[in-house]
């Protein structure tokens, strides 16, 4: 029997366009490009496109030296959405793998994710992103757990994901008006069009968060609050009110945390000492029980108990800068203003 395909007539492997976006990533970008070179290409061909958002550290030149196609965008209001759109619109591949410039791709992810993408109703596949240096600071140690999601169908993905280019065209890509939250917003439109988003139980990328100061931690959470407010307001009255519940919960949670010290002060000023001591002890016990419950709920993410307790503290502490981010977005919206990109990382040297 004659085979359907001879060695000379085998269909070409699918082309995957790797779109890397970055702004002043420095050495992190070079590590990202090196990792792409190590990618398993047994099931695909690759093209690599780097989209730079007006870096001042020589990133475009260094990427070009690696033989990477470089696109430069210099908008008045930079955003990850704008860079990603420029990348996939210039891409030639049937599939587009989006990466941030501070990530390192795991060698086997693309070849394994393409197997799942053989299901025609799957628009997006994504895997596990984990921190490459969790020992860098307690911030990175606990934020590493934020990346852990259970496998299966999900409502949205993060910035690193393999996507079907035809679906990106169908939904017209990312919303360039958003400075944060652009992936969940686009994923909402993709799900509404009848497509699936699948989180695979596979290592996908290593990430260099580089959050080592309180101010960087605050700005990152502040940006999340801005995204909650802007995206939830857009879909408030729809049948799929994305992030509305989360934004409302944060408004209550953050306000309570801010009011707690004032309430404690009033208790000590207005009540007798024994009453104040008793109420303070009760409040402290309730706070400890709340932290214990949160630590227990996230135990599946890490076997280390101290990390789970730190993560519990983070889960509540971050509600304060998230609240301020929400309030800032609402204030800007009332005044008809749009905030510029909220950055939390310092540029690295090249």
């Amino acid at each position: 029997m004659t085979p359907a395909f001879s060695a000379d007539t085998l269909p070409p492997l699918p082309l995957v366009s790797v779109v890397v976006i970055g702004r002043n990533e420095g050495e992190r970008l070079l590590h990202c490009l090196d990792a792409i070179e190590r990618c398993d290409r047994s099931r695909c061909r690759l093209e690599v496109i780097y989209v730079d958002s007006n870096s001042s550290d020589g990133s475009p030149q260094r990427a070009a030296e690696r033989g990477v196609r470089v696109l430069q965008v210099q908008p008045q209001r930079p955003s990850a959405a704008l860079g990603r759109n420029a990348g996939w619109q210039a891409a030639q591949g049937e599939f587009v793998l989006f990466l941030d410039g501070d990530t390192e791709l795991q060698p086997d992810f693309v070849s394994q994710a393409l197997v799942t993408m053989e299901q025609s109703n799957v628009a997006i596949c994504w895997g596990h992103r984990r921190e490459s240096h969790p020992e860098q600071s307690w911030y990175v140690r606990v934020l590493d757990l934020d990346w852990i999601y259970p496998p299966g169908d999900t409502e949205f993905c993060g910035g690193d994901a393999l996507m079907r280019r035809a679906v990106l065209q169908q939904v017209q890509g990312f919303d360039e008006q958003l400075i944060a939250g652009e992936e969940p917003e686009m994923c909402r439109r993709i799900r509404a069009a009848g497509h699936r988003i699948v989180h695979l139980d596979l290592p996908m990328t290593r990430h260099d968060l580089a959050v080592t100061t309180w101010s960087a931690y605050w700005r990152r959470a502040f940006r999340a609050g801005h995204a909650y407010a802007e995206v939830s307001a857009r879909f408030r009255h729809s049948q799929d009110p994305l992030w509305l519940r989360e934004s409302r919960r944060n408004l209550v949670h953050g306000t309570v945390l801010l009011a707690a010290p004032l309430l404690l002060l009033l208790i000590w000023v207005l009540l007798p000492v024994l009453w104040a001591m008793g109420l303070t002890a009760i409040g402290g016990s309730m706070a400890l029980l709340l932290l214990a419950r949160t630590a227990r709920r996230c135990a599946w993410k890490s076997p280390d108990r101290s990390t789970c307790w730190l993560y519990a503290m983070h889960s509540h502490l971050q509600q304060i800068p998230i609240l301020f981010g929400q309030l800032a977005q609402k204030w800007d919206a009332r005044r008809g203003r749009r905030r510029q990109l909220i950055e939390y990382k310092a540029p690295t040297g090249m």
Side-chain angles (χ1 to χ4, degrees):
M1 181 179 292
T2 304
F5 297 100
S6 68
D8 295 330
T9 61
L10 286 174
L13 294 173
L15 177 63
V16 176
S17 300
V18 184
V19 173
V20 181
I21 62 168
R23 175 179 166 89
N24 293 324
E25 291 294 352
E27 292 294 329
R28 293 186 289 257
L29 174 62
L30 301 185
H31 295 321
C32 175
L33 298 177
D34 289 341
I36 295 170
E37 283 299 310
R38 298 190 293 269
C39 180
D40 174 19
R41 307 187 188 204
S42 61
R43 288 195 176 102
C44 66
R45 297 169 293 134
L46 295 184
E47 70 165 346
V48 184
I49 300 172
Y50 170 60
V51 185
D52 186 86
S53 293
N54 203 22
S55 291
S56 58
D57 65 353
S59 290
Q61 293 77 15
R62 296 297 292 272
E65 290 172 2
R66 299 294 181 95
V68 173
R69 181 182 177 187
V70 176
L71 304 177
Q72 297 189 56
V73 293
Q74 298 180 339
Q76 293 184 345
R77 189 171 182 264
S79 69
L82 191 149
R84 292 193 181 109
N85 281 343
W88 75 259
Q89 288 167 0
Q92 300 297 313
E94 176 185 356
F95 302 99
V96 180
L97 174 66
F98 291 105
L99 296 176
D100 291 344
D102 57 2
T103 61
E104 296 180 40
L105 178 66
Q106 296 298 298
D108 298 332
F109 174 74
V110 175
S111 60
Q112 295 184 60
L114 284 172
V115 175
T116 302
M117 295 293 274
E118 291 175 0
Q119 303 174 50
S120 60
N121 64 345
V122 175
I124 300 176
C125 279
W126 59 301
H128 299 303
R129 171 194 269 204
R130 299 301 301 271
E131 287 303 312
S132 54
H133 302 290
E135 77 288 347
Q136 196 173 46
S137 69
W138 81 266
Y139 303 106
V140 179
R141 180 179 169 187
V142 299
L143 289 169
D144 179 41
L145 302 192
D146 267 349
W147 303 127
I148 302 177
Y149 288 81
D153 283 32
T154 57
E155 291 189 350
F156 53 83
C157 66
D160 304 337
L162 180 66
M163 303 190 186
R164 204 177 295 275
R165 191 178 189 278
V167 175
L168 288 168
Q169 291 177 316
Q170 180 184 4
V171 301
Q172 299 181 355
F174 298 90
D175 186 338
E176 297 178 4
Q177 296 301 309
L178 296 175
I179 59 171
E182 68 281 352
E183 304 99 343
E185 190 280 334
M186 185 184 72
C187 286
R188 181 189 180 279
R189 288 182 276 124
I190 287 175
R191 287 187 290 104
H195 305 290
R196 294 170 56 207
I197 301 164
V198 180
H199 183 228
L200 303 175
D201 191 14
L202 297 171
M204 178 180 60
T205 51
R206 306 295 287 183
H207 181 244
D208 187 5
L209 189 63
V211 172
T212 59
T213 64
W214 168 254
S215 61
Y217 175 83
W218 177 280
R219 288 194 299 273
R220 186 176 183 274
F222 182 97
R223 186 180 68 176
H226 187 282
Y228 275 155
E230 188 168 21
V231 173
S232 64
R234 178 175 299 185
F235 302 113
R236 181 183 304 275
H237 302 296
S238 71
Q239 293 183 341
D240 183 12
L242 180 63
W243 281 350
L244 182 60
R245 181 183 303 173
E246 290 83 354
S247 63
R248 286 176 173 172
R249 185 167 56 229
N250 165 256
L251 289 172
V252 174
H253 196 162
T255 300
V256 169
L257 290 176
L258 282 177
L262 178 59
L263 178 61
L264 182 63
L265 177 62
L266 290 174
I267 287 174
W268 280 92
V269 169
L270 299 178
L271 296 179
V273 172
L274 289 179
W275 275 96
M277 290 177 61
L279 290 175
T280 301
I282 292 172
S285 298
M286 292 176 63
L288 192 60
L289 288 172
L290 182 62
L291 287 174
R293 185 183 70 167
T294 306
R296 186 174 63 254
R297 286 181 172 179
C298 76
W300 70 276
K301 293 188 175 188
S302 173
D304 185 77
R305 298 178 98 187
S306 61
T307 300
C308 289
W309 274 90
L310 285 172
Y311 186 77
M313 293 175 60
H314 148 72
S315 297
H316 298 284
L317 181 62
Q318 70 171 345
Q319 300 301 323
I320 296 175
I322 289 176
L323 171 64
F324 277 94
Q326 284 215 68
L327 295 177
Q329 192 282 328
K330 293 176 185 297
W331 177 249
D332 287 345
R334 288 179 64 89
R335 300 179 66 188
R337 295 174 52 187
R338 301 191 66 84
R339 192 170 293 263
Q340 293 294 316
L341 184 66
I342 302 169
E343 297 182 281
Y344 62 88
K345 284 185 179 179
T348 64
M350 296 293 282

